[in-house]
Amino acid sequence: MSDNSIISQAKLNNDTSMVDAALTYAQRWGWPVLPLHSIGLAGSCTCGRADCGSPGKHPRTPRGLKDATRDVITIRNWWRAFPNANIGITTGAASGFFVLDVDGEEGEKSLAELEAKHGGLPETVTSITGGGGRHLFFRWPGRAIPNKVGLLPGLDARGDGGYIVAPPSNHISGERYAWRVFLSPDEATLAVAPLWLLDLLCSD
């Protein structure tokens, strides 16, 4: 059995190395990945900019999101050059999912208000962000889903032309992104988003 086959069949968990996780995302689920800057030993972004506005979250490659790939050799070379690089996964049609980013208590309050009005969201693949929020993954619906920052207080959306930071990437808080128990891609399926959420995301 080849090394690539071993990686593709290994169970993904929150202790998986960066390169193995990146390869698993690309090989098993066909999600294009790219290396991101990470948080260094000094607790700052590895880009070296003291005023970095997105520590540990922006691409390390020259073309950014356009460099995202499923190619095993490219991925191995990236993480050979940057062993501790955080992992970005493209969202939208390229990966087959979009993400609702629920940021902390403010985001949870906004989501609760939406669910009280429209109905609850289905259980789906979910990760916990390093900042204590949640990424809810939904099946791409076959039409463009825009990226929206500030959809509601504490709620953002990552769709076509966007990306998310994936487990086990590190965060400026000192915590790591992690798959929620029983809701990792190994253990759950991407839910179909309700129409009310799609309408909200696609409204002007």
Side-chain angles (χ1 to χ4, degrees):
M1 183 178 293
S2 70
D3 182 46
N4 289 348
S5 296
I6 293 172
I7 292 297
S8 66
Q9 292 181 21
K11 185 174 178 61
L12 183 70
N13 60 63
N14 293 325
D15 295 321
T16 305
S17 70
M18 293 294 193
V19 64
D20 286 352
L23 287 167
T24 298
Y25 297 142
Q27 291 182 267
R28 189 183 304 171
W29 294 295
W31 298 344
V33 301
L34 72 157
L36 307 178
H37 279 282
S38 57
I39 306 302
L41 294 177
S44 57
C45 186
T46 54
C47 71
R49 298 197 305 270
D51 62 344
C52 179
S54 188
K57 296 182 180 181
H58 56 105
R60 296 198 71 136
T61 60
R63 300 191 308 154
L65 192 58
K66 293 181 180 179
D67 287 322
T69 186
R70 304 176 185 89
D71 182 73
V72 170
I73 294 175
T74 300
I75 294 168
R76 288 192 183 280
N77 287 338
W78 278 338
W79 268 271
R80 188 174 293 116
F82 313 114
N84 296 317
N86 280 344
I87 303 168
I89 302 177
T90 57
T91 51
S95 59
F97 67 79
F98 70 91
V99 166
L100 185 64
D101 184 356
V102 186
D103 190 9
E105 292 183 6
E106 186 177 50
E108 293 293 349
K109 180 180 178 181
S110 292
L111 182 56
E113 291 173 353
L114 285 175
E115 291 185 303
K117 181 178 180 180
H118 299 287
L121 292 175
E123 187 173 87
T124 190
V125 173
T126 302
S127 64
I128 305 301
T129 70
R134 293 188 292 158
H135 283 164
L136 307 180
F137 292 62
F138 293 97
R139 191 179 307 169
W140 187 72
R143 57 172 162 137
I145 297 295
N147 296 292
K148 284 196 172 182
V149 176
L151 179 69
L152 286 174
L155 286 184
D156 300 331
R158 306 297 177 192
D160 291 276
Y163 69 96
I164 51 99
V165 183
S169 298
N170 60 12
H171 187 269
I172 191 68
S173 67
E175 300 296 329
R176 286 190 175 271
Y177 291 74
W179 292 110
R180 189 163 183 174
V181 177
F182 303 124
L183 292 177
S184 74
D186 276 320
E187 300 166 301
T189 57
L190 295 170
V192 174
L195 288 177
W196 66 260
L197 179 58
L198 296 178
D199 289 343
L200 180 65
L201 295 175
C202 296
S203 63
D204 294 331

